[in-house]
Amino acid sequence: MTHQIALSESMRANLAKSPQAHKYGHGHAVILSGGAGQGGAARLAARAALRVGAGLVTIAAPTASFYEQAAQLTAIMLAALPDSYSLRGLLQDERLNALCLGPGLGRKRALEMVPAALWGARATVLDADALTAFDEEPEHLFTQLHESVVLTPHMGEFRRLFPDLADALSAPETPLSHKIEATAKAAKRAGCTVLLKGAETTISDPSGKTALHSATGARAAPWLATAGAGDVLAGLITGLMARGLTPFDAACTGAWLHVEAARAFGPGLIAEDLPEMLPRVFREIGL
């Protein structure tokens, strides 16, 4: 049975923070950045991870973009990450418990960094370039994935990784049940949680558990059709996993918060607005 994602007491409890907790009790998320001029997407993801409650967030940037990132960051920390060997070294610190790769990463850097990140066996979100970099050999990616990973493709990226499953969704009037089934098959094949983005966002984990988040009708959020909105969603899920949510719960909660933030802002939304609306959303649900 597919779970319809909506605010619940368990979701509210997962988002709340104990007055006795400290920042190290809420995890440390690391967002990998791309090269010079490509760092904005990573900053969007990092801001979202911090706003959603991760205790600490670091952007790991190549040397070419280090000073560009430094000029843009304050509460978000910064680490130099020239190559995958350095990433393996960084992951010796067990306090770094969640990773996000893809937003603005670049295909070449993704091909190098994704295997090193997956070697670290951390809670990991793979989005954007971290998915399209493997479109010629998706099985090469699947053999490295583990159950603490969330893939967040839109339909185009889903088609590149799962072309046979996407073919069943190509007709204009494809039933929603077919999208849910395709997402479940993708999660089983990949061995991790898959979130297939859209107005009807479908989520599944390898066990076959499925969820649906509808942003249609009274809950429509058409303003999310803007550059960078997906990067924010990736950051939300990363921050929630840093805080200890399971990949499936983080994906479901992140999808709900993403739409709530967009609806709270309304027309004229750009991606930078989404993390800044989270405090309002949190107040409205009684946190």
Side-chain angles (χ1 to χ4, degrees), residues 171-260:
E173 301 301 324
T174 300
L176 183 57
S177 60
H178 289 197
K179 185 177 181 182
I180 294 170
E181 181 181 1
T183 307
K185 288 180 178 178
K188 185 173 182 180
R189 184 181 301 178
C192 67
T193 297
V194 175
L195 180 152
L196 178 51
K197 293 182 283 196
E200 302 276 11
T201 293
T202 52
I203 302 168
S204 185
D205 71 5
S207 74
K209 185 162 53 175
T210 58
L212 170 67
H213 185 267
S214 295
T216 58
R219 280 187 50 76
W223 319 288
L224 280 173
T226 185
D231 305 322
V232 172
L233 177 59
L236 291 174
I237 297 170
T238 305
L240 290 167
M241 289 200 294
R243 295 188 59 187
L245 273 68
T246 68
F248 184 80
D249 286 345
C252 292
T253 303
W256 185 85
L257 287 172
H258 195 231
V259 170
E260 286 301 300

Side-chain angles (χ1 to χ4, degrees), residues 4-21:
Q4 301 283 335
I5 300 170
L7 179 64
S8 64
E9 286 305 316
S10 61
M11 184 187 291
R12 185 184 284 108
N14 283 336
L15 288 170
K17 284 192 171 185
S18 165
Q20 287 75 41

Side-chain angles (χ1 to χ4, degrees), residues 101-145:
L101 292 86
L105 192 60
R107 288 174 62 100
K108 182 178 179 181
R109 186 163 164 85
L111 283 170
E112 178 185 6
M113 292 296 181
V114 169
L118 295 173
W119 166 86
R122 301 298 204 277
T124 302
V125 174
L126 298 182
D127 183 47
D129 292 335
L131 301 177
T132 58
F134 295 89
D135 58 5
E136 294 183 3
E137 276 190 290
E139 290 297 331
H140 180 59
L141 174 63
F142 299 157
T143 58
Q144 301 175 74
L145 297 173

